[in-house]
């Protein structure tokens, strides 16, 4: 029996210098410990990109990452060995022992081709094995697994890169692919994003980059396509508030495999949408207070764990008011001790904003002189 843990988007270094600075480190370690409590324990851990939040992480972040990966490697009892390697179309027979952590890098870590990114630094330190457009046949005890990985690529190039790589499954065993990209099925607004049918069909695929979990099957082969989600809330999107963070486990038997998700406890996160509805700023402030008080009434507080509340305000203000008139400083101050509050006004507009836009368009189209515009 071969068991593997898969997690993604730990974003180590996120929130540096804020009260959320420990979230990414704590959640990564909790995800690993949750996986290692399984019986039997996993023999491999796969990381599907965005281990770090920054392309060039601070020394403090890199040091903490080295400590985390060192502890992770010590927890795993297996000594995986690469038997075959395929890169740039060339197959090589090898017998190299590698760390039990195998990773790809993500979009947050990608740097120009002649530079070293932070995931490659962890590889040089002997803490993980890094894949990019590469396939390896790995042996763990009496079990073998094919692992294929392609690191984060700009969307405009990814389809061509996948065709150029053209990975082939190892015929004598199961095969897993790691990828870190946008997909149209989950992010339809992203130009050049992949669709599920763009993926090679002969692999169980685990995807990073999307921060909430989701499960699909390949349109042709019906092989699982799993979006592992992130281990920390960085985007503060509605989907992140609705789905748990955690780690995926896949266990291979003689003739079948089993996939399950193990949730972890993370900082509570609430997402609310508020319709401005032509209200005055003072009325909107009262609505925001009511939302926060309702959450406070129903939330079970844990010591040293401030919940996050994000409120997204949409629609139009009452006539005669501007977005700048909605001053949120008092809200932040009043609830500072109990919550971390984020309020998004990007979709809030003043009622006369459209009239101003029309007026400016008319002025532009008529091509008036400076004196006439005045």
């Amino acid at each position: 029996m071969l068991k593997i843990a898969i997690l993604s988007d730990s974003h180590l270094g996120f929130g540096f210098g804020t009260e959320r600075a420990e979230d990414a480190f704590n959640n990564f370690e909790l995800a690993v410990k949750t996986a290692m409590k399984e019986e039997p324990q996993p023999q491999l851990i796969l990381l599907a990109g965005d281990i770090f939040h920054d392309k060039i992480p601070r020394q403090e972040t890199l040091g903490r990452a080295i400590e985390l990966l060192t502890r992770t490697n010590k927890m795993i009892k297996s000594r995986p060995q690469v038997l075959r390697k395929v890169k740039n179309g060339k197959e090589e027979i090898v017998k190299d022992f590698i760390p039990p952590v195998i990773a790809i890098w993500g979009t947050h870590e990608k740097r120009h081709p002649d530079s070293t990114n932070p995931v490659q630094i962890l590889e040089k330190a002997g803490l993980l094995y890094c894949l990019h457009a590469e396939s390896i046949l790995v042996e763990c005890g009496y079990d073998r697994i094919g692992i294929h990985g392609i690191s984060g690529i700009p969307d405009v190039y990814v389809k061509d890169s996948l065709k150029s790589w053209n990975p082939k499954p190892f015929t004598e065993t199961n095969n897993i692919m790691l990828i870190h990209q946008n997909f149209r099925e989950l992010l339809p607004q992203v130009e050049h994003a992949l669709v599920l049918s763009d993926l090679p069909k002969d692999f169980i695929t685990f995807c990073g980059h999307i921060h909430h979990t989701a499960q699909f099957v390949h349109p042709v082969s019906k092989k699982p396509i799993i979006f592992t989600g992130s281990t920390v809330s960085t985007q503060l999107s509605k989907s992140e508030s609705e789905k748990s963070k955690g780690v995926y486990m896949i266990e291979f038997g003689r003739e079948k495999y089993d996939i399950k998700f193990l949730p972890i406890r993370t900082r509570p996160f609430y997402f609310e949408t508020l319709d401005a509805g032509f209200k005055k700023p003072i009325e909107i402030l009262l609505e925001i207070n009511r939302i926060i008080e309702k959450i406070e009434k129903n939330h079970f507080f844990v010591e040293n764990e401030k919940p996050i509340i994000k409120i997204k305000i949409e629609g139009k203000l009452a006539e005669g008011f501007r977005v700048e008139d909605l001053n949120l400083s008092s809200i932040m101050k009043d609830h500072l001790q109990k919550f971390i509050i984020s309020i998004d006004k990007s979709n809030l507009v003043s009622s006369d904003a459209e009239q101003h836009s029309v007026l400016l368009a008319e002025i532009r189209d008529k091509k008036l002189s400076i004196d006439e515009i005045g």
Side-chain angles (χ1 to χ4, degrees):
M1 301 280 267
L2 177 63
K3 185 180 282 188
I4 299 172
I6 306 98
L7 57 145
S8 184
D9 292 83
S10 53
H11 286 273
L12 302 180
F14 168 77
F16 183 86
T18 73
E19 56 189 325
R20 294 195 62 202
E22 293 298 311
D23 286 9
F25 298 106
N26 292 341
N27 294 0
F28 179 89
E29 189 155 32
L30 181 57
V32 171
K33 287 181 177 178
T34 299
M36 297 311 295
K37 287 179 182 177
E38 287 284 288
E39 290 293 342
Q41 288 185 333
Q43 292 104 308
L44 292 171
I45 291 181
L46 308 184
L47 306 178
D50 281 359
I51 300 169
F52 292 95
H53 190 63
D54 300 303
K55 289 180 174 63
I56 305 176
R58 292 176 174 87
Q59 291 183 344
E60 295 86 350
T61 299
L62 192 57
R64 291 284 298 278
I66 289 171
E67 292 173 348
L68 277 176
L69 268 296
T70 299
R71 290 198 293 271
T72 299
N73 277 282
K74 287 180 179 178
M75 281 190 265
I76 305 173
K77 304 296 189 291
S78 68
R79 287 195 71 205
Q81 187 178 28
V82 176
L83 302 180
R84 286 156 59 194
K85 180 190 301 185
V86 182
K87 192 171 179 68
N88 298 324
K90 298 178 181 179
E91 182 168 347
E92 184 182 356
I93 297 175
V94 294
K95 287 191 176 181
D96 295 336
F97 286 100
I98 62 170
V101 179
I102 299 172
I104 59 174
W105 68 75
T107 49
H108 275 247
E109 297 138 336
K110 180 175 174 55
R111 299 183 67 204
H112 59 83
D114 296 327
S115 62
T116 300
N117 69 51
V119 181
Q120 292 169 319
I121 290 175
L122 295 180
E123 182 180 44
K124 291 176 185 295
L127 296 171
L128 55 76
Y129 188 95
C130 182
L131 293 172
H132 179 54
E134 182 178 347
S135 302
I136 54 175
L137 179 64
V138 180
E139 185 175 72
C140 293
Y142 298 104
D143 298 297
R144 293 181 177 184
I145 183 76
I147 301 176
H148 313 254
I150 186 164
S151 293
I153 295 171
D155 291 317
V156 69
Y157 303 120
V158 66
K159 290 185 182 180
D160 289 338
S161 296
L162 270 176
K163 289 178 182 176
S164 176
W165 178 31
N166 192 26
K168 304 296 183 186
F170 296 103
T171 56
E172 65 268 37
T173 187
N174 291 290
N175 290 267
I176 290 176
M177 174 181 287
L178 297 177
I179 191 168
H180 189 100
Q181 296 297 150
N182 287 310
F183 280 82
R184 190 66 58 83
E185 285 82 358
L186 292 171
L187 294 171
Q189 73 277 15
V190 177
E191 191 177 5
H192 305 299
L194 293 173
V195 294
L196 297 179
S197 58
D198 290 325
L199 290 171
K201 64 182 176 62
D202 297 315
F203 304 88
I204 301 168
T205 304
F206 288 92
C207 310
H209 193 57
I210 306 297
H211 277 210
H212 61 272
T213 58
Q215 298 188 27
F216 299 90
V217 295
H218 194 284
V220 177
S221 67
K222 307 306 177 187
K223 294 270 190 181
I225 299 173
I226 309 292
F227 290 84
T228 58
S230 63
T231 53
V232 63
S233 296
T234 64
Q235 300 171 344
L236 299 187
S237 62
K238 189 174 189 296
S239 59
E240 280 195 296
S241 72
E242 295 171 338
K243 296 192 176 184
S244 298
K245 306 295 185 184
V247 55
Y248 269 93
M249 306 292 298
I250 182 166
E251 185 171 10
F252 294 96
R254 289 184 179 178
E255 297 180 356
K256 62 179 183 178
Y257 53 82
D258 178 59
I259 298 174
K260 66 179 178 180
F261 178 72
L262 303 177
I264 61 172
R265 177 175 175 79
T266 60
R267 187 187 294 273
F269 170 39
Y270 298 93
F271 185 99
E272 297 287 341
T273 302
L274 174 59
D275 181 9
F278 297 96
K279 297 184 181 72
K280 299 176 182 178
I282 186 63
E283 295 172 318
I284 293 176
L285 290 176
L286 290 172
E287 287 286 341
I288 292 172
N289 261 318
R290 277 193 280 270
I291 290 171
I292 295 172
E293 287 169 2
K294 182 179 178 181
I295 292 172
E296 183 176 356
K297 181 180 178 181
N298 296 320
H299 180 75
F300 178 77
F301 285 89
V302 175
E303 189 176 0
N304 299 322
E305 183 190 71
K306 280 189 190 180
I308 303 167
I309 299 176
K310 180 171 180 178
I311 300 174
K312 187 172 184 177
I313 309 173
E314 301 177 335
K316 295 179 181 179
L317 286 167
E319 195 170 328
F321 292 95
R322 301 173 303 164
V323 175
E324 294 80 8
D325 296 328
L326 182 61
N327 189 334
L328 302 167
S329 59
S330 61
I331 294 280
M332 301 298 189
K333 184 178 179 181
D334 291 346
H335 300 283
L336 181 65
Q337 300 304 316
K338 289 189 175 180
F339 295 102
I340 298 171
I341 297 176
S342 171
I343 299 180
D344 180 2
K345 299 193 294 182
S346 61
N347 289 335
L348 178 66
V349 295
S350 60
S351 295
D352 54 356
E354 290 182 1
Q355 296 175 7
H356 291 164
S357 298
V358 170
L359 177 61
L360 290 171
E362 288 177 350
I363 290 173
R364 183 185 65 245
D365 293 342
K366 289 179 180 177
K367 297 180 180 179
L368 302 180
S369 68
I370 296 297
D371 289 337
E372 289 172 321
I373 291 172

